Amino acid sequence: MPRRVPLYKRVKQRLAAALEKGVWRPGEALPPEPALAKRFAVSVGTLRKAVDELVAESLLVRRQGSGTYVDSHTRDTMLARFFPMVDRTGNKRLPQSRLLSFRRGRASAAIAALLHLQRGAPVFEIDNLLSLDDEPLILDRIRLPQALFPDLTEAIFAEREATIYALYQSRYGVTVVRTEESIAAALADERACELLLLTPPAPVLRVVRTAYAWHSQPVDTRVRLIATRRHHYRSVLGQR
Amino acid sequence: MPRRVPLYKRVKQRLAAALEKGVWRPGEALPPEPALAKRFAVSVGTLRKAVDELVAESLLVRRQGSGTYVDSHTRDTMLARFFPMVDRTGNKRLPQSRLLSFRRGRASAAIAALLHLQRGAPVFEIDNLLSLDDEPLILDRIRLPQALFPDLTEAIFAEREATIYALYQSRYGVTVVRTEESIAAALADERACELLLLTPPAPVLRVVRTAYAWHSQPVDTRVRLIATRRHHYRSVLGQR
DNA sequence: AAGTGGTCTAGACCACCAT
DNA sequence: TGGTGGTCTAGACCACTTA
């Protein structure tokens, strides 16, 4: 650790802590910059540098002339930030979701490692099918720690209005800021072929995705099989 | 276009134009910030904001106490920025490269569209095999416009010391700043199975990658087949 | 010790949004 | 029209690299 932490970094940490604590709700405006600067006893320039970084990390959103707002997981932001599939023309659309099964279980060694849990810790195990235009696209097996989502039930999950990450945020105050995906090629097994409407031997993408909140805390992890008939996985390297 | 372009954006454009023109070579230091600010007739703060953005886009690199340098495509930066494959422990290493064939040809309609060329424009067609620890990993078919690389020959390509992008930069002054990849799952054909040491039916990643220089100018495009036996394609979403 | 980028301040003015 | 974030300046001091 650096001996001397710059002032704006400490302001950033304090702001992030306040956000995590829920001092301002997603979608709400923060106080104006001069007021915040006064509260933290720093100059406006320093306060702005702290906000700059939180905006770069998508925790905050600036709207000129209006204010600075806590980012909320709308359909549009989810689509742009966390959904990688595009059609032949490069366009994205949010998929429809169909819940296949919802169970309570215990974390295997592998799952526990990914979610930073003890082996055997209670988790939810959810199977979910995502489709575009009634064509099945992605088969997900999701695991999430029961500790993070204490009162989650099948009904709550199935009847949510928005995306899964939006549910985490609005109901449990858990905001996903980053996901890491590991992609391999595989042959779909019999069940996957049925659900994804493929005829063996059918190549699919096998993606292991883990979602993280602030401080790299794992939120959920999933194994997803993706049929790339009409949609491709899009990735941009460099120029971040 | 915005009516009023901020001063620091104009400074950034002028700096980028100078870089593109080769006023300073890759690896060289720029003049100190106060000198640059004076040259552009702006304050140091404004100059720094322009440099900030070019650093964020990896055209420049800052080294505190030393200077600001033109980014050069070393092995390390190539690996970190443009090579997405990791082993089971999450580590990256640069692959060995083996040239399979080098030909001159003409752009098909599809290739011409990707490279922003006229159909039938002269291109190089290169087949290349990338391996890690003598295990074949990636089979590439690369196409690049002859116009961008006028005197390129098989010997120059085969005997290069560093990566392909580093060759583009050091010999032709073309700096790749971004690549876009489109990933699908496929079954390897007979030739791919032989070269990648796979037994059919073998699922592989089929990636179409296009590399871009500043101003989104296409530099090369390739179709690559990737065997994901021991290495996976790693992708991070959100938190840019 | 000299020179570089990094941090921090204080204040002026501009562009945009809401009312 | 009042309030917000966005731009720009000038200058002081700090931290780091290099020799």
Side-chain angles (χ1 to χ4, degrees), chain B residues 6-8 41-43 45-46 49 64-66:
Chain B
L7 185 52
Y8 76 90
V42 298
S43 73
T46 300
K49 203 161 177 185
Q64 185 177 4
S66 172

Side-chain angles (χ1 to χ4, degrees), chain A residues 1 16 31 41 53 65 76 93 98 100 108 116 121 125 132 164 166 168 185 205 209 223:
Chain A
M1 283 290 287
E53 296 207 347
D76 282 351
R93 285 180 27 236
R98 189 180 121 212
L100 299 178
S108 66
H116 295 183
E125 297 180 6
L132 274 171
I164 295 177
Y168 296 168
L205 302 183
R209 161 190 284 208
V223 176

Side-chain angles (χ1 to χ4, degrees), chain B:
Chain B
M1 284 291 284
R3 188 176 303 274
R4 171 81 185 169
V5 178
L7 185 52
Y8 76 90
K9 289 281 188 190
R10 281 177 281 158
V11 172
K12 178 189 172 189
Q13 292 301 327
R14 291 173 64 187
L15 260 176
L19 289 169
E20 204 176 5
K21 213 173 127 191
V23 174
W24 308 284
R25 302 249 148 195
E28 273 186 10
L30 270 59
E33 293 179 342
L36 277 179
K38 194 166 187 181
R39 178 181 312 187
F40 290 119
V42 298
S43 73
V44 178
T46 300
L47 184 275
R48 277 183 65 78
K49 203 161 177 185
V51 171
D52 280 344
E53 295 208 347
L54 293 172
V55 168
E57 292 168 20
S58 295
L59 274 99
L60 297 176
V61 179
R62 281 212 178 93
R63 290 186 211 141
Q64 185 177 4
S66 172
T68 301
Y69 297 81
V70 182
D71 180 68
S72 78
H73 281 175
T74 65
R75 284 183 166 73
D76 281 353
T77 63
M78 297 308 297
L79 188 64
R81 290 180 59 200
F82 296 118
F83 190 72
M85 306 304 294
V86 298
D87 65 19
R88 294 246 183 278
T89 63
N91 290 323
K92 287 183 181 182
R93 283 178 30 237
L94 265 192
Q96 299 92 43
S97 174
R98 190 181 121 213
L99 178 60
L100 299 178
S101 75
F102 183 104
R103 296 187 307 277
R104 288 156 193 274
R106 308 239 156 224
S108 66
I111 299 293
L114 286 170
L115 292 177
H116 296 185
L117 298 174
Q118 297 295 327
R119 189 174 156 182
V123 295
F124 295 109
E125 298 180 5
I126 299 169
D127 285 2
N128 202 48
L129 185 68
L130 300 176
S131 305
L132 274 171
D133 299 324
D134 295 315
E135 183 181 78
L137 182 66
I138 300 178
L139 176 60
D140 269 339
R141 166 154 296 185
I142 310 172
R143 325 264 180 149
L144 47 156
Q146 294 186 24
L148 261 185
F149 307 96
D151 68 350
L152 185 62
T153 63
E154 176 163 357
I156 292 172
F157 189 89
E159 288 153 23
R160 71 183 189 280
E161 287 183 359
T163 65
I164 296 178
Y165 291 173
L167 175 71
Y168 295 168
Q169 182 182 64
S170 63
R171 190 173 176 105
Y172 302 96
V174 174
T175 299
V176 171
V177 299
R178 179 172 51 91
T179 72
E180 298 186 5
E181 312 206 336
S182 173
I183 310 173
L187 293 175
D189 60 21
E190 199 177 324
R191 172 166 177 269
C193 281
E194 277 176 28
L195 289 164
L196 293 171
L197 303 181
L198 299 170
T199 47
V204 292
L205 302 183
R206 183 177 184 279
V207 178
V208 178
R209 162 191 283 209
T210 305
Y212 297 90
W214 183 251
H215 289 314
S216 292
Q217 167 164 66
V219 173
D220 80 9
T221 188
R222 56 185 76 182
V223 176
R224 57 183 6 177
L225 299 182
I226 308 182
T228 54
R229 267 173 307 230
R230 310 160 73 92
H231 297 81
H232 289 185
Y233 185 111
R234 191 153 186 293
S235 171
V236 176
L237 308 182
Q239 191 148 308
R240 56 196 63 171

Side-chain angles (χ1 to χ4, degrees), chain A residues 70-88:
Chain A
V70 182
D71 180 69
S72 77
H73 280 176
T74 65
R75 283 182 165 76
D76 282 351
T77 64
M78 298 308 296
L79 187 64
R81 289 180 60 199
F82 296 117
F83 189 72
M85 307 303 293
V86 298
D87 65 19
R88 294 247 183 275

Side-chain angles (χ1 to χ4, degrees), chain A residues 47-146:
Chain A
L47 184 276
R48 277 182 65 80
K49 202 161 176 185
V51 172
D52 281 343
E53 296 207 347
L54 293 172
V55 168
E57 293 168 20
S58 295
L59 273 96
L60 296 177
V61 179
R62 282 212 178 94
R63 290 185 212 143
Q64 186 178 3
S66 170
T68 301
Y69 297 81
V70 182
D71 180 69
S72 77
H73 280 176
T74 65
R75 283 182 165 76
D76 282 351
T77 64
M78 298 308 296
L79 187 64
R81 289 180 60 199
F82 296 117
F83 189 72
M85 307 303 293
V86 298
D87 65 19
R88 294 247 183 275
T89 63
N91 289 322
K92 287 184 181 181
R93 285 180 27 236
L94 266 191
Q96 299 93 44
S97 175
R98 189 180 121 212
L99 178 60
L100 299 178
S101 75
F102 183 103
R103 297 187 307 276
R104 286 155 194 277
R106 307 236 157 229
S108 66
I111 299 293
L114 287 171
L115 292 178
H116 295 183
L117 298 173
Q118 298 294 327
R119 189 174 155 182
V123 295
F124 295 109
E125 297 180 6
I126 299 169
D127 284 3
N128 202 48
L129 185 68
L130 298 176
S131 305
L132 274 171
D133 299 324
D134 295 315
E135 184 180 78
L137 182 66
I138 301 178
L139 176 60
D140 269 339
R141 166 154 295 183
I142 310 171
R143 325 264 182 151
L144 46 157
Q146 294 186 24

